[in-house]
Amino acid sequence: MSKRVSVFRREHFNAAHRLFVPQWGDARNEEVFGKCSNPNYHGHNYELEIKVTGQADPVTGYVMDLKVLSEMVREHVLEIFDHKNLNLDTEYFKDLNPTAENIVVVIYEILREKIDAKFDLKIRLYETQRNFVEFPA
Amino acid sequence: MSKRVSVFRREHFNAAHRLFVPQWGDARNEEVFGKCSNPNYHGHNYELEIKVTGQADPVTGYVMDLKVLSEMVREHVLEIFDHKNLNLDTEYFKDLNPTAENIVVVIYEILREKIDAKFDLKIRLYETQRNFVEFPA
Amino acid sequence: MSKRVSVFRREHFNAAHRLFVPQWGDARNEEVFGKCSNPNYHGHNYELEIKVTGQADPVTGYVMDLKVLSEMVREHVLEIFDHKNLNLDTEYFKDLNPTAENIVVVIYEILREKIDAKFDLKIRLYETQRNFVEFPA
Amino acid sequence: MSKRVSVFRREHFNAAHRLFVPQWGDARNEEVFGKCSNPNYHGHNYELEIKVTGQADPVTGYVMDLKVLSEMVREHVLEIFDHKNLNLDTEYFKDLNPTAENIVVVIYEILREKIDAKFDLKIRLYETQRNFVEFPA
Amino acid sequence: MSKRVSVFRREHFNAAHRLFVPQWGDARNEEVFGKCSNPNYHGHNYELEIKVTGQADPVTGYVMDLKVLSEMVREHVLEIFDHKNLNLDTEYFKDLNPTAENIVVVIYEILREKIDAKFDLKIRLYETQRNFVEFPA
Amino acid sequence: MSKRVSVFRREHFNAAHRLFVPQWGDARNEEVFGKCSNPNYHGHNYELEIKVTGQADPVTGYVMDLKVLSEMVREHVLEIFDHKNLNLDTEYFKDLNPTAENIVVVIYEILREKIDAKFDLKIRLYETQRNFVEFPA
């Protein structure tokens, strides 16, 4: 059996953030982002869903060992984002507004470098149960 | 950053309905739809998932402000369907059987007119936790 | 082992209803219950949680076979409420407003008669994911 | 029907916080609370479950209108905590460590003053899907 | 209305399994699969999501009656896998490692033969809430 | 603040089991337990909810550090039950039928010895989303 299968792994992290466009002043940020731009931050339980698509190995039956994927996410994503302030504690959002859209693209780019190029990769990120994003579209 | 990202918003509404093909009599409707055709109606907590795909704005980092999308859904979908009888209280299902398939297409068409054509749109509708539909396929 | 353990079984049913106090006119009902009193009904996916508490049988290890409990609920509750209009299709709510509070008491009384008196019984009813009730308190 | 029934309402808010005992230095706080004491904060999607127990009104069938309860929670709890930094933006946690235990007691005390004394009140607060608290015990 | 819509049905089954490549010895299996290769088996609550895509019938509004789909899954999948040991009690995994990837392909092939070729079919299988797979990719 | 608060922690484990009363033959076991007594076992994703009630410490605001509780559950419960066959791989169910009722009492007794006697303890165990148990009642 050597068919293409998608495998998914869910992880989570808890972080503070503030929607903030650095080149704008506070007033314009509050006008556009409302309470999401609170200067003292708010936060979320982010749920992360990593989808890897490839051939299932004909002997093991694995596309990819999900324990290996989970460990990779822990090391390269959770270590950087979990229990952090996205705006202050990470390099990624010094000059980039930490919207869910921007966070999911950043996480994709981090993992795309680590996961073998023979696999397709897609990331879904839940900011709340009602608001979530996916990349690539 | 100007990559295509999908953003999702979940909303819900509670409605009564009856599966009923108007050109058939009650007997044929009951034969085909069983208890779902109960003449006095039954109902559901419908969960609605709206997926909008487009370029993230390079400054704001938003594909679309989900508060704006939520308000649009409230005004054009929930106002019409929430706490209503789909067969009796809406124009859409006077001559159209309110199956989940037909409801999801109707909601798609309502929102397709309101959402900027530069965005792709897909709708998922949960009738129960175990039965749901998606349009376009 | 003959300790008191609680066992729980979840079931669900889909029904239409209208909050309506028969001795009031439509205007007063709408004033008090708002859109929940829509004359053409609306509906819900009701989730039902039955909690039975008693001694675990020292040989089987069962308080009560949950397949037996599930069948009892199917026969005495779901047959009466599932895919029905609570106001029109059941005897219970001809003169009683089908609020979640009243529905949960009715279901308790139906099951209390069927379940051996040596067991304690408690019922939880979810009208939506955000609104639910429990009886006895 | 005038039996005691419990009614529940779920609400949510998103907030930043940091576990921090003001009379200790940063080193002791980090030793005890680990990454939960990150000086730049982290955050959560808090799920709040309010349980009110009382007699169902024999006419309306309501213990308490859940729309009224929801509005009360919005005004007295969500306005104060949603999209806020619990340590910096609220009076309650200036000198009190914002653990889930302390937050749930604070919310209980806020609502206990607003809800009629004839009702019993219990609050459950989910900090994550795996960590939650309840008061009174 | 004759548009292509996807309809989904969720089912579940409980099974024991052991990750085990028959051509390897126990030592190599344990080295690769760790505790998932426990010789006495472990088990899961598998959640199965069947997605069928096709034209909604212009008269009934159904792509496919989900009660018919549910019955088909019960007869051809659940009867074979539910409350079974996948390695010992089924023909499919005598010589094939019962990874989630291999199970989802087997279930796809069983259902692909039973569902009218005019419909597209996709299967998602949850082994746990955090690990799941989809076929075809 | 020194009020009694309950804190909850959720953990999970995956295990195989078979309902089987050792003093009965296979025929009687199958008659009473049906497919749950399949000689080759089946399995579940067990969800475990540990509730600890006590005074919140006036300085830390903790009833009990949930990381400590989680580690205690991992060491004394998950190490013994996760990815195991409850009947064959554990001492507890050599002569005791591994019903949910019996499992929850065993887990309670394991943890009751490890958790400070000043705390009350209650355990809930989900065998599936629809069947679960709690001890003490």
Side-chain angles (χ1 to χ4, degrees):
Chain A
M1 194 175 295
S2 62
K3 300 184 168 159
R4 280 172 60 83
V5 179
S6 298
V7 299
F8 299 74
R9 175 71 193 168
R10 272 188 172 243
E11 301 284 347
H12 70 276
F13 60 94
N14 309 315
H17 80 150
R18 171 197 188 186
L19 296 191
F20 183 71
V21 172
Q23 58 266 43
W24 296 348
D26 270 353
R28 174 102 178 97
N29 273 289
E30 193 189 340
E31 185 189 323
V32 173
F33 300 117
K35 63 185 181 179
C36 297
S37 196
N38 175 24
N40 285 329
Y41 312 98
H42 65 285
H44 296 289
N45 302 332
Y46 289 95
E47 284 281 331
L48 184 60
E49 198 175 288
I50 301 100
K51 178 187 185 182
V52 174
T53 301
Q55 300 283 338
D57 182 281
V59 177
T60 63
Y62 272 168
V63 168
M64 185 181 179
D65 185 338
L66 288 178
K67 288 189 299 294
V68 171
L69 179 59
S70 176
E71 181 53 30
M72 189 186 289
V73 174
R74 195 196 57 69
E75 183 181 347
H76 300 291
V77 179
L78 305 190
E79 284 289 337
I80 298 169
F81 295 121
D82 187 34
H83 282 75
K84 295 292 171 57
N85 183 308
L86 300 180
N87 305 68
L88 299 181
D89 293 331
T90 76
E91 289 304 311
Y92 299 102
F93 301 105
K94 289 281 191 263
D95 302 310
L96 183 67
N97 193 11
T99 57
E101 290 92 327
N102 282 342
I103 302 170
V104 78
V105 172
V106 163
I107 292 175
Y108 172 85
E109 290 176 346
I110 292 172
L111 290 175
R112 184 63 286 182
E113 282 191 24
K114 304 296 176 187
I115 290 174
D116 193 321
K118 73 183 174 184
F119 294 122
D120 289 331
L121 177 65
K122 183 173 284 202
I123 311 287
R124 182 179 280 203
L125 180 73
Y126 291 81
E127 195 171 83
T128 69
Q129 291 299 314
R130 300 207 165 268
N131 293 349
F132 48 106
V133 298
E134 203 172 69
F135 181 80
Chain B
M1 193 174 293
S2 61
K3 301 187 166 157
R4 280 172 60 82
V5 179
S6 298
V7 298
F8 300 73
R9 174 70 192 170
R10 274 188 171 240
E11 301 284 347
H12 69 276
F13 60 95
N14 308 315
H17 81 150
R18 171 198 187 185
L19 296 191
F20 183 71
V21 172
Q23 57 267 43
W24 295 348
D26 270 353
R28 175 102 177 97
N29 272 289
E30 194 190 337
E31 185 189 324
V32 173
F33 299 117
K35 62 186 181 179
C36 298
S37 197
N38 175 25
N40 286 328
Y41 312 98
H42 64 286
H44 296 290
N45 301 333
Y46 289 95
E47 284 282 332
L48 184 61
E49 198 174 289
I50 300 101
K51 178 187 186 182
V52 174
T53 301
Q55 299 283 338
D57 182 280
V59 177
T60 63
Y62 272 168
V63 169
M64 184 181 181
D65 186 338
L66 288 178
K67 288 190 298 295
V68 172
L69 178 60
S70 177
E71 180 54 30
M72 188 186 291
V73 174
R74 195 196 56 69
E75 182 182 347
H76 299 292
V77 178
L78 304 190
E79 285 289 336
I80 297 169
F81 295 121
D82 187 33
H83 282 74
K84 294 292 171 58
N85 182 309
L86 300 180
N87 305 67
L88 300 181
D89 293 332
T90 76
E91 289 304 311
Y92 299 103
F93 301 105
K94 289 281 190 263
D95 302 309
L96 183 68
N97 192 13
T99 58
E101 291 92 327
N102 282 341
I103 301 171
V104 79
V105 172
V106 162
I107 292 174
Y108 172 84
E109 291 176 346
I110 291 172
L111 290 174
R112 185 62 286 183
E113 281 190 25
K114 304 296 176 186
I115 290 174
D116 192 323
K118 74 183 173 185
F119 295 123
D120 289 331
L121 177 66
K122 182 173 283 201
I123 311 286
R124 183 179 279 203
L125 179 74
Y126 291 80
E127 195 171 83
T128 69
Q129 291 299 314
R130 299 205 167 269
N131 293 348
F132 49 106
V133 297
E134 203 172 69
F135 182 79
Chain C
M1 194 174 296
S2 61
K3 301 187 166 155
R4 280 173 59 82
V5 179
S6 298
V7 299
F8 300 74
R9 174 71 192 169
R10 272 188 172 242
E11 302 283 347
H12 71 275
F13 60 94
N14 308 316
H17 80 150
R18 171 197 188 187
L19 295 192
F20 184 70
V21 172
Q23 57 266 43
W24 294 348
D26 270 353
R28 175 103 178 95
N29 272 289
E30 193 189 339
E31 186 190 322
V32 174
F33 299 117
K35 63 184 181 180
C36 298
S37 198
N38 175 23
N40 285 328
Y41 311 97
H42 64 285
H44 296 291
N45 302 332
Y46 289 96
E47 284 282 330
L48 184 62
E49 198 174 288
I50 301 100
K51 178 187 186 183
V52 174
T53 301
Q55 300 283 339
D57 182 280
V59 177
T60 63
Y62 272 167
V63 168
M64 185 180 179
D65 186 338
L66 288 179
K67 288 189 298 296
V68 171
L69 178 60
S70 177
E71 180 55 29
M72 190 186 290
V73 174
R74 195 196 58 68
E75 182 181 347
H76 299 291
V77 178
L78 305 191
E79 285 288 337
I80 297 169
F81 295 121
D82 187 34
H83 282 75
K84 295 292 169 59
N85 182 309
L86 300 180
N87 305 68
L88 299 181
D89 293 330
T90 76
E91 289 304 311
Y92 299 102
F93 302 104
K94 290 282 190 263
D95 302 309
L96 182 69
N97 192 12
T99 57
E101 290 92 326
N102 282 340
I103 301 170
V104 78
V105 173
V106 162
I107 291 174
Y108 172 84
E109 290 177 346
I110 291 172
L111 289 175
R112 185 61 287 182
E113 281 191 25
K114 303 295 177 187
I115 291 175
D116 192 322
K118 72 184 174 186
F119 294 123
D120 289 332
L121 177 65
K122 183 173 284 203
I123 311 286
R124 182 179 280 204
L125 179 73
Y126 292 80
E127 195 172 84
T128 69
Q129 291 299 313
R130 300 206 166 268
N131 293 348
F132 49 106
V133 298
E134 203 171 70
F135 181 79
Chain D
M1 194 173 294
S2 61
K3 302 187 165 155
R4 280 172 60 83
V5 180
S6 297
V7 299
F8 300 74
R9 174 73 191 167
R10 273 188 172 242
E11 302 284 347
H12 69 275
F13 60 94
N14 309 315
H17 80 151
R18 171 197 188 186
L19 296 191
F20 183 71
V21 172
Q23 58 266 43
W24 294 349
D26 270 353
R28 175 101 178 97
N29 272 289
E30 193 190 338
E31 185 189 324
V32 173
F33 300 117
K35 62 186 181 180
C36 297
S37 197
N38 175 24
N40 286 329
Y41 311 98
H42 65 284
H44 296 291
N45 301 332
Y46 289 95
E47 284 281 331
L48 184 60
E49 198 175 288
I50 301 101
K51 178 187 185 182
V52 174
T53 301
Q55 300 283 337
D57 182 280
V59 177
T60 63
Y62 271 168
V63 168
M64 184 180 180
D65 185 339
L66 288 178
K67 289 190 297 295
V68 172
L69 178 59
S70 176
E71 180 53 30
M72 189 186 289
V73 174
R74 195 197 57 68
E75 183 181 347
H76 300 291
V77 178
L78 306 190
E79 284 289 335
I80 297 168
F81 295 121
D82 188 33
H83 282 74
K84 295 292 170 57
N85 182 309
L86 300 180
N87 305 68
L88 300 181
D89 294 329
T90 75
E91 289 304 311
Y92 298 102
F93 302 105
K94 289 281 190 261
D95 302 309
L96 183 68
N97 193 11
T99 57
E101 290 92 327
N102 283 341
I103 301 170
V104 79
V105 172
V106 163
I107 292 174
Y108 172 84
E109 290 177 345
I110 292 172
L111 290 175
R112 185 62 286 181
E113 281 191 25
K114 304 296 177 187
I115 290 174
D116 193 322
K118 73 182 175 186
F119 294 123
D120 289 332
L121 177 66
K122 182 173 285 201
I123 311 286
R124 182 179 280 203
L125 180 74
Y126 291 82
E127 196 172 85
T128 69
Q129 291 299 314
R130 300 207 165 268
N131 293 349
F132 48 106
V133 298
E134 203 172 68
F135 181 79
Chain E
M1 193 175 294
S2 62
K3 301 188 165 154
R4 279 172 61 82
V5 179
S6 298
V7 298
F8 300 74
R9 174 72 192 169
R10 273 188 171 241
E11 302 283 348
H12 70 276
F13 60 93
N14 308 315
H17 81 151
R18 171 197 187 186
L19 295 192
F20 184 71
V21 172
Q23 57 266 45
W24 295 348
D26 269 353
R28 176 103 178 94
N29 272 290
E30 194 189 338
E31 185 190 323
V32 174
F33 300 116
K35 62 185 180 178
C36 298
S37 196
N38 175 23
N40 285 329
Y41 312 97
H42 65 285
H44 296 290
N45 302 333
Y46 289 96
E47 284 281 331
L48 184 60
E49 197 175 289
I50 301 101
K51 178 188 186 182
V52 174
T53 301
Q55 301 283 337
D57 182 280
V59 177
T60 63
Y62 272 166
V63 168
M64 185 180 179
D65 185 339
L66 288 178
K67 288 189 297 295
V68 171
L69 179 60
S70 177
E71 180 54 29
M72 189 187 288
V73 174
R74 194 196 58 68
E75 182 182 347
H76 299 292
V77 178
L78 305 190
E79 285 288 337
I80 297 170
F81 294 120
D82 188 35
H83 282 75
K84 295 292 170 59
N85 182 308
L86 299 180
N87 305 68
L88 299 181
D89 293 330
T90 75
E91 289 304 312
Y92 299 102
F93 301 105
K94 291 282 190 262
D95 302 309
L96 183 68
N97 193 12
T99 58
E101 290 91 326
N102 282 341
I103 301 170
V104 78
V105 173
V106 163
I107 291 174
Y108 172 83
E109 290 176 347
I110 292 172
L111 290 175
R112 185 62 286 182
E113 282 191 25
K114 303 295 176 187
I115 290 175
D116 193 323
K118 73 183 174 185
F119 295 123
D120 289 331
L121 177 66
K122 183 172 284 201
I123 311 286
R124 182 179 279 203
L125 180 74
Y126 292 81
E127 195 171 84
T128 69
Q129 291 299 313
R130 299 205 167 269
N131 293 348
F132 48 106
V133 297
E134 203 172 70
F135 182 80
Chain F
M1 194 174 293
S2 62
K3 300 187 165 156
R4 280 172 60 83
V5 179
S6 299
V7 299
F8 299 74
R9 173 72 192 169
R10 273 189 171 241
E11 301 284 347
H12 70 275
F13 61 94
N14 308 315
H17 81 151
R18 170 197 189 187
L19 295 192
F20 183 70
V21 172
Q23 57 266 44
W24 294 349
D26 270 352
R28 175 101 178 96
N29 272 289
E30 194 190 338
E31 185 189 323
V32 173
F33 299 117
K35 62 186 180 179
C36 297
S37 196
N38 175 25
N40 285 328
Y41 312 97
H42 65 285
H44 296 291
N45 302 333
Y46 289 95
E47 284 282 331
L48 184 60
E49 197 174 289
I50 301 100
K51 178 187 186 183
V52 174
T53 301
Q55 301 283 337
D57 182 280
V59 176
T60 63
Y62 272 167
V63 169
M64 184 180 180
D65 186 338
L66 289 179
K67 289 189 298 294
V68 171
L69 178 59
S70 176
E71 181 54 29
M72 189 187 288
V73 174
R74 194 197 57 68
E75 183 181 347
H76 300 292
V77 179
L78 304 190
E79 285 288 336
I80 298 169
F81 295 121
D82 187 34
H83 282 75
K84 294 292 171 57
N85 182 308
L86 300 180
N87 305 67
L88 299 181
D89 293 330
T90 76
E91 288 305 310
Y92 299 102
F93 301 105
K94 290 281 191 264
D95 301 309
L96 182 68
N97 192 12
T99 58
E101 290 92 327
N102 282 341
I103 301 170
V104 78
V105 173
V106 162
I107 292 174
Y108 172 84
E109 291 176 346
I110 291 172
L111 290 175
R112 185 62 286 183
E113 282 191 24
K114 304 296 175 186
I115 290 174
D116 192 322
K118 72 182 174 186
F119 295 122
D120 289 331
L121 177 65
K122 182 173 284 200
I123 311 286
R124 182 179 279 203
L125 180 73
Y126 291 81
E127 195 172 83
T128 69
Q129 291 299 314
R130 300 204 167 270
N131 292 347
F132 49 106
V133 297
E134 202 171 70
F135 182 80

